[in-house]
Amino acid sequence: MRIATWNVNSVKQRLPRLLPWLDEREPDVVCLQETKLTDDAFTALFGDELSQRGYAVTTYGEASWNGVAILSKVGLEDVVRGIPDGPGFPEPEARAVSAVCDGVRVFSVYVPNGRSPDSDHYHYKLAWLAALRDMVEAGDAARTVVCGDINIAPTDDDVFDPEAYEGHTHVTAPERAALAELEALGLHDVVRDRWPSERVFSYWDYRAGMFHQDLGMRIDLILGGDDVAGRVKAAWIDRKARKGKGPSDHAPVIVDLDAAPDGDIGPMVPPPSAPAARRGTKKLPQSAD
């Protein structure tokens, strides 16, 4: 079974790329984030195309913002939209949907950004992650996979330069601790487990040529429980999908369970476009003088 997750940053804008990508990679289960469509609008735009490709679909969306979905060729049962009793800002947002796909509880999550350390939105992010942890713990964590835009780089190895991120969200100790508490349920970061020392990112800012310089961060994760992680045969980031005209600023993350149709083709397709920059020489676009 091939599971993929992709923050598409507007499914309407990404449709010309998303459909060919589905045909090329042929994932069995796809978790989407930032769909930015209501459920009805998603179905009207995309439903026939997905049905023709054999996908059952569940969505949890809202107009213009947020939005998550799961597409599955291997069943879609016991769907849960949102996080029961989870926090909102101030109302619950369309940031999580889960379903059982071929015996695995699959979560598609779009974790709040946090905006700036110690802001109200930052504390909302931490509370949201705690609620997600509680929800996963209440189920069968070993047969669970949490996929999505986690909006946290797990370690300094997951950003192009830790110095560039000082004072920003995504890398603070409380965020990383919240992620570690989720993983402590027995969830494995399957890409990092497979590629422990590779320089591999999933997100590059649109501005300042960040992608072409390979100045990115790894914030899109697939976290598999013990049973799921034990089935992994390949885990990689489809960097090719970030190239070309009209891409999302995120690349898909793909994991193959039980068999790897394309072989163990590596963490990135193709390899990085540039060698690592010397520390302290590059800034984030919003931090540029």
Side-chain angles (χ1 to χ4, degrees):
M1 180 165 64
R2 171 167 284 180
I3 300 174
T5 184
W6 194 1
N7 179 325
V8 290
N9 191 9
S10 173
V11 73
K12 185 175 182 179
Q13 295 297 320
R14 230 54 64 198
L15 201 60
R17 297 182 62 106
L18 179 55
L19 293 174
W21 179 84
L22 290 173
D23 294 338
E24 178 184 13
R25 296 303 187 197
E26 298 184 317
D28 299 293
V29 178
V30 185
C31 296
L32 301 177
Q33 300 87 42
E34 273 203 278
T35 56
K36 298 183 179 180
L37 287 176
T38 64
D39 297 334
D40 289 344
F42 186 104
T43 300
L45 174 72
F46 206 21
D48 289 345
E49 293 282 3
L50 294 176
S51 178
Q52 291 169 13
R53 288 166 170 80
Y55 287 106
V57 181
T58 186
T59 61
Y60 182 26
E62 54 187 280
S64 304
W65 306 101
N66 305 319
V68 287
I70 300 174
L71 326 177
S72 176
K73 293 181 177 180
V74 293
L76 198 61
E77 302 174 347
D78 192 17
V79 173
V80 179
R81 289 158 44 93
I83 300 176
D85 301 319
F89 195 77
E91 300 299 323
E93 298 180 306
R95 291 186 175 275
V97 65
S98 69
V100 175
C101 305
D102 194 22
V104 176
R105 168 64 67 177
V106 177
F107 284 78
S108 179
V109 302
Y110 177 42
V111 175
N113 176 284
R115 298 181 185 172
S116 60
D118 210 33
S119 67
D120 289 345
H121 204 263
Y122 179 86
H123 291 292
Y124 163 54
K125 178 179 190 174
L126 298 179
W128 195 95
L129 284 161
L132 174 64
R133 183 197 179 281
D134 290 346
M135 184 178 177
V136 173
E137 185 179 31
D140 184 355
R143 299 175 66 186
T144 293
V145 59
V146 177
C147 305
D149 180 356
I150 306 298
N151 266 321
I152 300 169
T155 72
D156 284 352
D157 290 337
D158 298 302
V159 298
F160 73 86
D161 183 351
E163 292 183 22
Y165 288 88
E166 289 180 2
H168 294 270
T169 57
H170 296 67
V171 300
T172 65
E175 291 169 286
R176 286 175 169 172
L179 175 58
E181 289 178 7
L182 177 62
E183 291 181 298
L185 298 176
L187 303 185
H188 303 257
D189 182 347
V190 296
V191 167
R192 185 53 78 197
D193 284 356
R194 181 63 188 86
W195 305 100
S197 58
E198 296 288 336
R199 183 168 177 266
V200 53
F201 306 132
S202 67
Y203 165 85
W204 301 259
D205 197 294
Y206 283 127
R207 298 167 292 178
M210 298 292 276
F211 177 68
H212 302 292
Q213 300 174 79
D214 203 34
L215 304 177
M217 60 195 312
R218 192 175 69 93
I219 56 176
D220 303 270
L221 308 180
I222 294 181
L223 306 176
D226 287 338
D227 288 356
V228 178
R231 297 167 59 190
V232 171
K233 300 302 181 184
W236 46 287
I237 292 176
D238 191 354
R239 192 176 179 279
K240 179 182 176 183
R242 179 62 172 79
K243 285 179 168 279
K245 182 179 179 181
S248 171
D249 43 2
H250 297 252
V253 184
I254 297 174
V255 59
D256 288 319
L257 305 183
D258 303 324
D262 299 312
D264 192 353
I265 63 177
M268 299 168 254
V269 182
S273 57
R278 185 164 54 87
R279 287 186 62 160
T281 62
K282 300 290 185 178
K283 294 183 178 181
L284 301 182
Q286 62 267 37
S287 302
D289 293 331

